[in-house]
Amino acid sequence: MKTLKIDADIVALIISGISLAMSFFVFLRDCWHERFRVKATVVKWFASHVSNYPFFIWMVIQNDSKLPCSIIKMEIEFERHGHPIRAVGHGNKELVSTVHNNDQTREIYSLDYPLIIDGYQSVGGYFHFRSDIAHFNFEDQTVILKIVTNRGTKKQKIELKYGDNIMRAMQYRLGEINVTHDSTGKPIIFTTDEL
């Protein structure tokens, strides 16, 4: 019977190689889980006819990273007829609406910044934006949403659909408007959500 004699230096080299490979794997896995990833989903939005009043977008912002992040500012950008249009949101709670039910009054406010989102968590609510351009210019547009956080800036395309504007849905139900198709010719499905 033959015995296999392995040199101690070779064993040490093999163990060191395995340790190095495992360390590299753990490093890559941690980088993957800790990378900066946020995603926004638009639920509905609301714009008043009052001039110089902000418009509000109800969004859910998901932090798909293991590390928390803080939203510091949000911007919307798009181009219309060759001109850049921009709206900025700095937080600082804005009154969205006042709801009267029976003898109770409830005020709804937009979210305040900095807004901390823990790892693998999400937050939803109204985010407000101000622009020098009237809110109806944003309707039926695909815009670039820029989410500025303490970990970086994320740009994402979102749609501000005509039918998701709560004001337009209320006008449609009251018979004040009769728009049934968007600018691409698709039928508009008006939201049934209230504020």
Side-chain angles (χ1 to χ4, degrees):
M1 197 154 127
K2 239 178 177 181
T3 56
L4 186 60
K5 207 172 184 188
I6 300 177
D7 190 1
D9 291 340
I10 294 175
V11 170
L13 186 63
I14 291 171
I15 291 172
S16 296
I18 291 171
S19 296
L20 182 64
M22 288 177 66
S23 296
F24 187 67
F25 170 76
V26 169
F27 170 74
L28 289 177
R29 185 196 65 192
D30 287 347
C31 286
W32 177 258
H33 289 292
E34 293 174 0
R35 75 191 188 286
F36 175 62
R37 291 184 301 167
V38 292
K39 180 175 70 174
T41 306
V42 175
V43 177
K44 56 189 173 183
W45 65 294
F46 171 75
S48 170
H49 290 295
V50 180
S51 61
N52 199 28
Y53 196 71
F55 62 94
F56 304 91
I57 304 176
W58 181 285
M59 286 186 283
V60 175
I61 308 286
Q62 172 98 24
N63 180 7
D64 288 330
S65 170
K66 172 167 118 172
L67 300 176
C69 69
S70 297
I71 296 175
I72 300 165
K73 178 170 101 169
M74 293 182 124
E75 296 179 12
I76 291 176
E77 304 170 339
F78 72 103
E79 198 170 293
R80 187 173 184 136
H81 307 300
H83 299 288
I85 296 180
R86 193 171 151 215
V88 179
H90 293 285
N92 305 327
K93 282 188 181 180
E94 294 276 346
L95 180 64
V96 179
S97 73
T98 304
V99 179
H100 303 285
N101 283 339
N102 300 328
D103 292 335
Q104 296 180 354
T105 300
R106 183 173 65 108
E107 293 179 333
I108 300 171
Y109 288 91
S110 62
L111 298 173
D112 198 6
Y113 302 158
L115 183 62
I116 299 169
I117 308 174
D118 287 328
Y120 299 117
Q121 298 294 314
S122 62
V123 67
Y126 278 108
F127 294 85
H128 77 268
F129 296 87
R130 287 190 182 276
S131 179
D132 295 335
I133 307 297
H135 76 272
F136 53 79
N137 289 289
F138 292 85
E139 283 183 323
D140 206 16
Q141 297 291 329
T142 299
V143 299
I144 302 293
L145 172 69
K146 189 159 65 166
I147 305 170
V148 181
T149 75
N150 64 327
R151 293 190 58 206
T153 301
K154 165 73 174 169
K155 289 185 178 183
Q156 175 185 337
K157 286 185 179 180
I158 60 170
E159 288 185 74
L160 296 179
K161 296 178 184 174
Y162 192 88
D164 288 342
N165 184 343
I166 296 168
M167 181 62 78
R168 297 300 186 196
M170 288 175 12
Q171 289 175 325
Y172 183 75
R173 282 196 297 273
L174 294 172
E176 295 174 7
I177 58 170
N178 59 2
V179 179
T180 57
H181 291 77
D182 65 14
S183 60
T184 64
K186 287 192 248 177
I188 296 173
I189 300 169
F190 286 94
T191 183
T192 56
D193 288 346
E194 298 298 325
L195 287 171

